Amino acid sequence: MSRGKLRIYLGAAPGVGKTVAMLEEGRRRRSRGTDVVVGLVEDHGRAHTRDAVGDLQVIPRSGVSHRGMRLDELDVPAVLERRPEVVLVDELAHTNAPGSTREKRWQDVLELLEAGIDVITTVNVQHLESLNDVVATITGVPQRETVPDAVVRAADAVDLVDMSPQALRRRMAHGHIYPAERIDAALGNWFRVGNLTGLRELALLWLADQVEEGLERYRAEHGITGTWAARERIVVALTGGPEGAMLLRRGARIAGRVAGRSLIAVHVVRSDGTESASSDPAQLESQRLLAEKLGGSLQLVVGDDIAATVLTFARSVNGTQIVVGASTHGRFTRLVRPSTMHAIVRGSGDIDVHVVTHPGDRGRRHVLRPAPSERRAAIVWPAAVVVPAVLAAVLLPWRDGLNLSSVLLVFLLGVLANGLIGGAVPAAVSALIAGVLANLLYTPPVGSLTIAQPQNIFALVVFVIVGATVATIVDRSTGRARAAAKGRAEAQLVAALAGDVLEADDGVRAVVDRARVGFGMSRVVLRRRGGEVELESGRPGPETADGDTDLVLPAGPDHELVLHGRPLPVADRALAEVFAAQAALALDRRDLAVQAGETERLRQADAVRTAVLAALSHDLRTPLATIKAAVAGLRADGVTLSAEDRSELLWSTAEAADQLDALLTNLLDLSRLQTGVLAPVFRPVSVDEVVHGALRGVPPAAVADDIPDDLPLLDTDSGLLERVLGNIVANAVRYSPPGRPVRLDAARIDGEGGDVVQIRVIDKGPGVPEKDRPAMFAPFQRLGDVPAGTGLGLGLAVARGLAQAVGATIEVEDTPGGGLTVLVEVPVAS
C-alpha cells in the first residue's frame, strides 16, 4: 500500500481563508469524481465557512468524555473504515482532548497517510515549532499548540493562503472572523497591523526557504551546476584590502533592489599563501562585521586559483551576480600575469559580473610577485633562456661603450628576476647562459668563446657564482615569505572557524558547514565510526559518489569527518585535520553543555533538598510543637479543663494542622515541579469553580469577590489553577491591613495569542518595590518583611511554576492608591 499524499494550506493568521480554500479544493476534486469526505472542520461560528462544506460528506466526530464533559475530536477509526481517497482535516496543530488515542491532531493525520489516504489540512505559521520563539517576540505570547516543522516540510504540497493586513482587518471589522462583541478588542490586540505584517513576512519567508530547499535538492539530484536565477544572490569577491568595504556596500545596494535578495562575501585563501600577502586580517575582520551588518555573511574558501575558486563558489551557492574590484595590475604586469578580475569575467558564463573601480586601482605600487604555481611551471624554463638572450640583444647597440663589469651587472638583474619567478635552479641555469653570452658577445675576441684576458675569466666565473648564490638566497627568502603568508592565511581560516563555533547555536553544524564551503566540497558528513551519519552539509550529487575523491579524517575517538567533491591537495590536508579536530572539540562542547544542564538540574534539586531540611528544623517544628502541646494538654490526667479551654486547645490543634498541611503541600508541589513529574490534565472549567476552590479556608471577610458570572470557560487544569490562585490570595491576605479585604476581579480580554480571562488579585498592602519583584517568585524567599516562622516563602514560587504548567501567565503591577495587583491570564477554552 502506498503512502497517502499530504497537502497543507498555510496562513499567516486566523481568518485569511485557509479552511474555505481547503473545502473548495475538496469540492473541486469531488466534481472530478474523487471520493472526498470531511473528517473535521472548525467553523468557529462563521456561516460562510459552514456554507463552504456544501454537499461534501461529513464524518461524525468522536466524543471523548473528560471530567463529565464531552469533547469532540477527529474520529480516525471511522475515517479508516470509510476509506475515502481524500479526507479534509482542519487545524493540524490542534491538541486532542485528554483521553484521546493520540495527543496531537498531526499524529492522527500521519496515521491516515500511512493507511494510504490523502489528507488536505490547514495550519497557521505561528504554530510551526521552529518559529515559536520568533512569534513570541513579535506578538508577545508564545504558542502552546505547535506542529514539528518536519511534518510540514514532508508535505507533498504547501499552498500559501495570503491576505494583506489591511484586507484582513477589514474582514474582521465586517464580522467575518469574530463575533461583534470581540471585534474591537481583537483589532487592538492580535490583529494589529504590525503583528499581521510580521506574521505575514514569516509565512512568506518560511515558504520561500522550503521552495529553495526543494530547488537545490532537484539541482543536486539531476547534477545541474549552471546558475538558475530563481533568486538573486550577490557574491562579493574580497581581497582583504581596504577596497572591500566599498565593494560590500555596492553589493548591498545591488541586492537591495531585488526581492528575496541575498548577499554573500567570499575571500579566497590560497593553500600556498602567495595571494594572501596583500590581505590584512584586521581589514577582513572589519569587513566580516560589515557584511553581517548589511544582512550578509563572509565565507573564507581554500583554493589555488583565485578566479576559478570564486566562480566555483558562486555556482555552488547559485549566485547570479559577482561584484569584484577593478584590477590593480599595471599594463606590463597584465602581459605577464593576467589579473584575477579579467579571469573572473572570462569564466563567468551566465553569471553577471560587476567590476567596481576604487581608489586602490590607481597609483598603487605594483610589486612583482611569483605567478601562481600552475602558470609558473609553464614560464620558468623558457624565461631562464629568453631573459639573458633579450638582455644581450638590448645591449648590443652599446657594446663598444660598455665594459664587461657593466654588462655583467645588467645580466645579474635578469638572473634575480628568474630567481623570483622560478627559484634557485632556473636562476643558476640563467646565470650560466648569461655568462656564455657575455663571453661570446662582450669579451674579446668577440664572436668566440676564447678569452684573451685572464681577468675576464675571473669576472665571468665570479658572475656565475654570485648569480647562483643570490638566486638561491632570493628563492629561500621567497619560500619563507610564502610559508609565512600561508600560515597567516590558515590562521585566518581557523580564526573564522573558531568564531563560528563560539557564536553559533550549534557549533558542530558550524564546523561541518564551514568545512564544506571552505574547501569547496559538495558534501561533508560527520559520522560515527560505525558509519551512522550524525550531521550532513550539502547534498550528494553525481560527483560525490564514494571513491578517490573522499577524504576521511578522525574527529575524536568516536567520529570521523568525510569530505566529498574533489581531491584535496596534500598542502591542505593539515588544515582539513584542524577542521576535524574542531569538530571533535565542538562535539565535546555539546556533550559538556548537556552535562552542565544536568548538573545544574541536580544542583537545583540539591538546593531544594537542603532548604527542605532547613525548613524541617525551623518552620515545620512550630505547628508540630503546637499540635503536640495541645494534644498533651487534652490527654493530661488529673487536669480538669473547662469547655472554653478545651475548645481553645482544639482550635489551636486544627489551626496548626492546617498550617502544617499547607507547608507540606507547597513542599511537595515544589518537588514535583523541580523533578518534572507534574502532568496537568486540561479540560474546560468555569472561573467560579476555580475561584470557589481557591478560597477554601480563607476567612470570608478577608476577600471581596467581584468576579462576573458571564465569563467563558477556561482551558486549564482546575486543581492546579486553584492552587495558583489559592497561594496568591493567601499571600495577599497575609500582607493586607485589617479592614482592607483583598479584591478579586476578572474580565475576558483578547490576548495577542488568543482569548484569555484575566483574573486580578488586588490588595492594599505595603506593596513590593519593582526591583524586588523578581525575587517574589523565587523559592524560600520572604523579602525580609515577615518574621521567621510565618512560612517557607514557597507560595508564589509554587504559584508561578504551576501557572506555567497549565499555560497561564502571572504578572505584577502596582495597585492605584497603594498595594499590589497580581494578574493571572488563563486561555479560554475552544
Side-chain angles (χ1 to χ4, degrees), residues 422-441:
V425 176
V429 173
S430 179
L432 183 60
I433 295 174
V436 173
L437 290 176
N439 179 23
L440 184 65
L441 300 177

Side-chain angles (χ1 to χ4, degrees), residues 395-732:
L395 294 175
L396 277 177
W398 299 277
R399 179 170 56 183
D400 295 337
L402 294 175
N403 57 31
L404 182 60
S405 298
S406 301
V407 172
L408 293 179
L409 286 176
V410 174
F411 279 129
L412 185 59
L413 293 177
V415 173
L416 291 177
N418 278 293
L420 287 173
I421 296 173
V425 176
V429 173
S430 179
L432 183 60
I433 295 174
V436 173
L437 290 176
N439 179 23
L440 184 65
L441 300 177
Y442 297 96
T443 304
V446 176
S448 170
L449 293 178
T450 303
I451 302 176
Q453 300 176 2
Q455 64 267 27
N456 290 340
I457 298 177
F458 178 76
L460 290 172
V461 171
V462 171
F463 165 76
V464 173
I465 294 174
V466 170
T469 303
V470 171
T472 302
I473 295 173
V474 169
D475 181 53
R476 289 181 178 179
S477 300
T478 304
R480 289 172 182 173
R482 188 177 300 127
K486 178 183 178 182
R488 185 173 65 176
E490 292 181 350
Q492 291 174 355
L493 194 59
V494 172
L497 172 64
D500 286 349
V501 173
L502 291 176
E503 296 173 4
D505 295 332
D506 187 349
V508 182
R509 164 64 67 181
V511 174
V512 175
D513 288 343
R514 175 67 73 171
R516 178 181 63 83
V517 174
F519 292 106
M521 296 295 176
S522 57
R523 181 171 174 247
V524 174
V525 177
L526 181 66
R527 69 188 185 192
R528 295 186 179 274
R529 296 280 185 183
E532 177 186 355
V533 175
E534 182 162 325
L535 200 59
E536 179 179 6
S537 178
R539 295 188 177 274
E543 75 283 3
T544 62
D546 292 339
D548 296 337
T549 60
D550 293 353
L551 178 63
V552 181
L553 301 169
D558 302 322
H559 293 78
E560 52 192 15
L561 193 67
V562 185
L563 286 73
H564 302 265
R566 68 181 180 91
L568 199 64
V570 176
D572 294 338
R573 297 276 176 117
L575 188 57
E577 291 174 356
V578 173
F579 275 75
Q582 286 289 336
L585 292 175
L587 287 168
D588 291 341
R589 182 185 175 200
R590 185 181 66 182
D591 295 340
L592 288 174
V594 173
Q595 294 175 8
E598 181 66 19
T599 302
E600 176 63 17
R601 189 187 67 80
L602 293 175
R603 187 195 65 78
Q604 293 177 358
D606 184 66
V608 171
R609 285 192 294 268
T610 302
V612 169
L613 290 175
L616 289 173
S617 63
H618 293 88
D619 296 89
L620 294 181
R621 295 188 64 172
T622 300
L624 284 174
T626 302
I627 294 172
K628 185 176 180 180
V631 172
L634 292 171
R635 295 181 58 189
D637 296 332
V639 177
T640 302
L641 298 174
S642 64
E644 183 179 352
D645 291 338
R646 181 179 295 274
S647 176
E648 179 69 23
L649 289 174
L650 290 174
W651 183 86
S652 299
T653 302
E655 184 180 35
D658 288 341
Q659 184 181 1
L660 182 62
D661 178 69
L663 292 173
L664 290 175
T665 301
N666 279 335
L667 285 172
L668 290 174
D669 283 341
L670 184 63
S671 177
R672 293 166 65 198
L673 289 170
Q674 293 283 350
T675 55
V677 299
L678 192 67
V681 179
F682 290 89
R683 70 176 179 89
V685 60
S686 68
V687 179
D688 288 339
E689 177 185 346
V690 173
V691 172
H692 177 74
L695 296 181
R696 291 193 193 100
V698 179
V703 178
D705 184 358
D706 296 333
I707 294 179
D709 298 329
D710 58 349
L711 293 173
L713 297 180
L714 306 178
D715 182 19
T716 186
D717 184 307
S718 61
L720 296 182
L721 187 58
E722 286 177 10
R723 296 298 317 287
V724 172
L725 292 177
N727 284 2
I728 293 175
V729 170
N731 189 76

Side-chain angles (χ1 to χ4, degrees), residues 92-231:
L92 183 64
H94 172 77
T95 300
N96 290 331
S100 300
T101 305
R102 285 161 294 277
E103 180 185 2
K104 297 288 187 177
R105 186 168 292 168
W106 60 265
Q107 295 171 329
D108 295 336
V109 167
L110 292 182
E111 181 171 346
L112 296 175
L113 293 173
E114 292 298 330
I117 301 174
D118 294 348
V119 178
I120 304 178
T121 185
T122 66
V123 71
N124 279 331
V125 70
Q126 66 261 30
H127 295 299
L128 295 175
E129 181 64 45
S130 66
L131 301 179
N132 191 266
D133 56 341
V134 183
V135 172
T137 301
I138 294 174
T139 65
V141 179
Q143 295 295 316
R144 293 187 298 119
E145 292 185 329
T146 59
V147 58
D149 286 48
V151 175
V152 183
R153 286 196 182 100
D156 299 275
V158 178
D159 295 286
L160 180 66
V161 183
D162 188 33
M163 182 176 290
S164 70
Q166 293 77 12
L168 188 56
R169 284 172 59 85
R170 283 196 298 270
R171 290 195 64 191
M172 170 68 74
H174 293 158
H176 295 161
I177 301 177
Y178 285 169
E181 64 273 11
R182 298 174 56 192
I183 291 176
D184 291 338
L187 290 174
N189 290 281
W190 177 262
F191 285 83
R192 295 195 300 266
V193 173
N195 282 2
L196 296 177
T197 302
L199 294 173
R200 187 188 190 199
E201 183 179 18
L202 279 182
L204 293 169
L205 291 177
W206 189 91
L207 188 60
D209 287 340
Q210 306 319 303
V211 173
E212 180 182 359
E213 183 178 314
L215 178 62
E216 291 301 321
R217 183 166 54 250
Y218 178 86
R219 284 164 51 86
E221 290 172 352
H222 291 79
I224 299 173
T225 58
T227 300
W228 286 10
R231 178 187 291 192

Side-chain angles (χ1 to χ4, degrees), residues 758-810:
Q758 186 182 79
I759 304 174
R760 300 181 180 89
V761 181
I762 308 167
D763 69 58
K764 292 292 184 177
V768 177
E770 188 171 354
K771 65 182 180 62
D772 293 334
R773 289 175 186 174
M776 291 172 53
F777 299 96
F780 306 105
Q781 298 292 323
R782 290 193 292 262
L783 298 182
D785 55 2
V786 293
T790 60
L792 298 180
L794 292 177
L796 293 182
V798 171
R800 170 156 284 185
L802 295 178
Q804 292 174 349
V806 299
T809 61
I810 299 178

